[in-house]
């Protein structure tokens, strides 16, 4: 209420803006009457069909344009009556859309619809409308409706064009993944909401934090390389024995330096295969299996430590899953490293066996290249302890395979990819650390091949920040095919060579 100049109280209508209530109708379950089949009718018809192609529509119009007839020919649920409107046309209808240029007829249809309590939309007549057909932005399963409260359809169309171009097509894939996650959650409603909030937190993480995370990776990798350079420089200037060693270093070191760089670049691009490629190369270079696996695992300690810490910091680690993986994984890795080191003097027999294992992994990589999207079953994999133990054991014995075996099994068994990757990366650090300590302890009296170890460590450290930068520009599928073929070829060569030696 408000007091006028002459002291009379009057109602003052407060401007509350757009009071329309947005509703998404299941038009495929409704029957719509469209009155008018000219240019405006065609526009309304296209808008409806673009959003609900299975809708049942009855069109009534004194004249029907050729464009409308051509359009409805592809939709069997649309019926056209070329006749004058009659009130009986409203029978069994759920919605009415009017697109005529006859104001008097529009008023009649409006009155008939209100009498039957049927919602109506009249083109270009907001005062006669119960609802508006807003501009729609569609990206797969995502729909955004835009309304200007009937003030300016043109502005709504322009906003639609801007949003249609700005929103990425990948949004539909995100919706599908979130839906799969929602279906896999257990617990009460509150628990599911918390899990979904945690999973989608990254979607609202400020870009500054994401940039900071990327910068941190560069800082950690750069700090390691700088520290290593400083240590080597100090040794070079103060230790003549070190100078002599560097000047007379075995050329094998440089081979592994290059190999470590290349394999780390490949791993950065496709997220796997560093262990199997490094181990296959080491055995092909004549390094005994135990020493080859030791070199691989020692070189992986730093990279997996950084990756695992980053995943933990970004809340990508399922701590329950991590605990179930890491202890049995360490036990399996230590046992595998102990067994392989104990058989070091029988490497003429173990080499072909390890090569058979890398051959199998090469085939696995090729299969993954053909279908990079892991198929998930409906039920989650439950025997995590056995999976961790088996993965750690074969990883230590074969020099690689923790990611290929454990991560693939978790995702295929219904586990969420993001948390599986984070948990596997973090646990990999501890498995690489413990298996490396076991190899060093077991092999120290028999001599350790330091050239492969140092070459892989330095080469992979140099490649890590570069691989992170270039990974998005490399065709992962083609790279996986190439890696699979190379691993298979080298493994077959080592198998044949080992068999011939035994014979």
């Amino acid at each position: 209420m408000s007091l006028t100049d002459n002291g009379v109280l009057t109602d003052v209508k407060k401007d509350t803006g757009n009071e329309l209530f947005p509703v998404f109708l299941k038009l495929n379950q409704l029957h719509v009457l469209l009155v008018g089949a000219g240019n405006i009718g065609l526009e309304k018809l296209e808008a409806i069909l673009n959003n609900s192609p299975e809708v049942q529509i009855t069109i009534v119009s004194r004249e029907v344009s050729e464009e409308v007839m051509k359009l409805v020919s592809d939709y069997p649920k649309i019926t056209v009556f070329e006749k004058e409107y009659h009130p009986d046309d409203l029978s069994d209808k759920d919605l009415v859309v009017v697109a005529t240029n006859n104001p008097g007829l529009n008023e009649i249809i409006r009155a008939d619809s209100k009498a039957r309590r049927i919602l109506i939309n009249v083109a270009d007549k907001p005062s006669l409308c119960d609802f508006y057909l807003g501009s729609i932005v569609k990206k797969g399963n995502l729909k955004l409706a835009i309304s200007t409260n009937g003030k300016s359809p043109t502005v709504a169309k322009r906003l639609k064009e801007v949003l249609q171009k700005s929103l990425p097509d990948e949004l539909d894939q995100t919706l599908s993944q979130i839906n799969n996650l929602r279906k896999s959650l257990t617990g009460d409603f509150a628990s599911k909401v918390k899990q979904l909030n945690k999973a989608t937190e990254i979607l609202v993480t400020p870009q500054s934090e994401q940039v900071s995370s990327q910068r941190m990776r560069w800082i950690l990798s750069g700090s390691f390389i700088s520290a290593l350079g400083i240590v080597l420089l100090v040794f070079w200037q103060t230790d003549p024995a070190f100078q002599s060693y560097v000047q007379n270093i075995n050329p094998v070191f440089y081979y592994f330096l290059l190999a470590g760089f290349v394999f780390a670049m490949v791993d950065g691009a496709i997220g796997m295969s560093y262990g199997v490629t490094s181990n296959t190369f080491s055995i092909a270079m004549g390094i005994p299996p135990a020493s080859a696996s030791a070199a691989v695992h020692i070189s992986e300690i730093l990279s997996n430590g950084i990756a695992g810490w980053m995943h933990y910091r970004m809340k990508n680690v399922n701590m329950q899953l991590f605990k179930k993986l890491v202890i049995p994984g360490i036990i399996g890795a230590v046992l595998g490293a102990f067994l392989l080191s104990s058989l070091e003097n029988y490497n003429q027999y173990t080499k072909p066996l390890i090569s058979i294992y890398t051959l199998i992994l090469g085939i696995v990589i090729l299969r993954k290249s053909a279908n990079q999207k892991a198929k998930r079953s409906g039920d989650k994999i439950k025997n995590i302890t056995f999976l961790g133990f088996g993965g750690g054991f074969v990883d230590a014995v074969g020099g690689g395979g923790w990611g290929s075996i454990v991560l693939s099994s978790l995702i295929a068994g219904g586990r969420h990819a993001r948390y599986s990757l984070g948990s596997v990366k973090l646990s990999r650090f501890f498995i690489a650390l413990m298996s490396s300590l076991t190899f060093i302890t077991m092999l120290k009296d028999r001599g350790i091949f330091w050239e492969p170890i140092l070459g892989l460590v330095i080469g992979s450290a140099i490649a890590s920040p570069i691989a992170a930068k270039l990974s998005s520009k490399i065709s992962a599928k083609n790279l996986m095919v190439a890696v699979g073929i190379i691993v298979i070829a080298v493994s077959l060569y080592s198998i044949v060579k080992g068999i011939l030696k035994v014979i």
Side-chain angles (χ1 to χ4, degrees):
M1 304 292 288
S2 177
L3 194 65
T4 64
D5 292 339
N6 57 7
V8 179
L9 286 173
T10 60
D11 289 330
V12 176
K13 189 175 182 180
K14 185 178 180 181
D15 184 9
T16 56
N18 192 334
E19 294 184 341
L20 296 175
F21 185 75
V23 174
F24 288 92
L25 299 175
K26 295 182 177 180
L27 283 187
N28 61 321
Q29 299 178 12
L30 303 179
H31 191 168
V32 179
L33 173 65
L34 173 61
V35 183
N39 292 333
I40 299 176
L42 176 63
E43 183 180 342
K44 297 291 185 180
L45 182 61
E46 288 177 336
I48 294 172
L49 293 176
N50 284 339
N51 288 277
S52 299
E54 296 299 318
V55 63
Q56 182 180 359
I57 302 176
T58 296
I59 299 176
V60 173
S61 180
R62 188 175 60 182
E63 296 179 0
V64 181
S65 69
E66 293 183 6
E67 290 80 3
V68 170
M69 292 302 297
K70 183 178 180 181
L71 177 60
V72 301
S73 62
D74 296 326
Y75 295 90
K77 290 188 176 182
I78 298 179
T79 306
V80 180
F81 293 100
E82 196 166 352
K83 69 181 189 66
E84 296 282 355
Y85 162 78
H86 190 277
D88 290 344
D89 293 329
L90 295 173
S91 299
D92 301 324
K93 304 302 187 298
D94 300 297
L95 291 175
V96 178
V97 177
V98 180
T100 77
N101 56 2
N102 187 334
L105 178 59
N106 294 345
E107 294 280 359
I108 293 173
I109 300 175
R110 160 74 175 175
D112 292 343
S113 300
K114 294 297 287 184
R116 297 179 182 237
R117 305 181 68 84
I118 301 175
L119 298 179
I120 184 172
N121 171 271
V122 181
D124 296 328
K125 293 293 181 181
S127 60
L128 301 181
C129 294
D130 295 316
F131 65 93
Y132 298 141
L133 300 181
S135 294
I136 304 295
V137 178
K138 184 178 179 182
K139 292 285 183 178
N141 289 291
L142 176 68
K143 279 188 180 180
L144 300 176
I146 303 170
S147 168
T148 61
N149 202 16
K151 301 293 184 182
S152 178
T154 302
V155 171
K157 289 180 181 179
R158 294 294 174 263
L159 287 174
K160 170 186 175 181
E161 293 172 0
V162 171
L163 291 173
Q164 194 74 39
K165 292 179 181 178
S166 301
L167 295 175
D169 295 332
E170 289 76 14
L171 270 176
D172 191 48
Q173 182 180 354
T174 301
L175 291 177
S176 299
Q177 292 172 346
I178 295 296
N179 183 52
N180 291 335
L181 171 62
R182 182 176 61 84
K183 291 179 180 178
S184 68
L185 297 179
T186 57
D188 57 19
F189 179 76
S191 173
K192 290 180 179 179
V193 170
K194 288 181 180 179
Q195 294 179 69
L196 281 172
N197 285 340
K198 184 177 180 181
T200 55
E201 184 179 10
I202 192 172
L203 298 176
V204 293
T205 301
Q207 188 174 3
S208 58
E209 290 186 20
Q210 297 180 25
V211 172
S212 176
S213 173
Q214 295 175 357
R215 189 180 296 119
M216 183 60 70
R217 291 190 184 96
W218 279 83
I219 291 173
L220 289 172
S221 300
S223 298
F224 171 76
I225 296 172
S226 300
L228 181 63
I230 292 172
V231 170
L232 292 175
L233 181 62
V234 170
F235 271 104
W236 177 266
Q237 293 179 341
T238 60
D239 190 347
F242 180 73
Q243 290 186 21
S244 176
Y245 175 79
V246 172
Q247 291 170 350
N248 297 285
I249 197 167
N250 192 324
V252 170
F253 165 78
Y254 299 106
Y255 298 147
F256 279 90
L257 178 69
L258 178 61
F261 180 86
V262 173
F263 298 152
M265 289 288 290
V266 172
D267 184 78
I270 64 178
M272 59 176 289
S273 85
Y274 176 80
V276 62
T277 50
S278 300
N279 195 68
T280 304
F281 176 79
S282 300
I283 292 176
M285 289 291 291
I287 306 298
S291 297
S293 186
V296 171
H297 285 88
I298 292 173
S299 67
E300 286 183 323
I301 292 175
L302 177 71
S303 61
N304 282 282
I306 294 175
W309 181 80
M310 290 304 302
H311 278 290
Y312 178 78
R313 185 171 177 270
M314 296 298 293
K315 299 180 181 180
N316 293 341
V317 178
N318 181 327
M319 292 307 298
Q320 220 175 8
L321 178 61
F322 166 75
K323 292 174 184 177
K324 290 181 180 179
L325 283 174
V326 69
I327 300 301
I330 288 175
I331 294 173
V334 170
L335 181 61
F338 176 82
L339 178 63
L340 189 63
S341 300
S342 301
L343 299 174
E344 184 77 347
N345 294 329
Y346 302 94
N347 64 77
Q348 69 269 27
Y349 302 106
T350 58
K351 268 188 179 182
L353 295 177
I354 302 303
S355 295
I356 291 174
Y357 170 71
T358 57
L359 172 65
I360 295 171
L361 283 185
I363 296 172
V364 169
I365 293 172
L366 269 183
R367 289 185 62 186
K368 284 190 175 185
S369 69
N371 183 16
Q372 296 186 60
K373 293 182 179 179
K375 295 180 180 178
R376 296 173 59 181
S377 64
D379 301 321
K380 287 185 179 180
I381 184 170
K382 292 183 172 60
N383 202 342
I384 305 297
T385 301
F386 178 77
L387 177 64
F389 176 83
F393 180 82
V394 297
D395 182 80
V397 172
W402 173 259
S404 302
I405 295 172
V406 178
L407 181 59
S408 299
S409 299
L410 288 174
I411 296 176
R415 292 278 173 174
H416 190 264
R418 175 186 169 194
Y419 297 115
S420 297
L421 176 61
S423 304
V424 167
K425 278 292 185 182
L426 183 60
S427 58
R428 173 67 169 153
F429 164 75
F430 296 96
I431 290 164
L433 177 64
M434 296 308 298
S435 58
S436 297
L437 292 176
T438 303
F439 278 123
I440 292 174
T441 302
M442 293 292 295
L443 297 175
K444 65 179 181 179
D445 295 332
R446 289 173 249 177
I448 298 174
F449 290 78
W450 287 108
E451 288 85 0
I453 293 174
L454 291 175
L456 290 176
V457 168
I458 298 173
S460 61
I462 294 173
S464 294
I466 303 173
K469 195 74 174 178
L470 297 180
S471 60
S472 61
K473 301 179 181 179
I474 300 175
S475 172
K477 182 175 183 179
N478 293 338
L479 203 54
M480 288 178 73
V481 172
V483 168
I485 293 173
I486 292 172
V487 169
I488 291 173
V490 175
S491 299
L492 288 173
Y493 170 77
S494 298
I495 291 170
V496 173
K497 186 177 178 181
I499 292 175
L500 291 176
K501 279 188 177 181
V502 173
I503 294 175

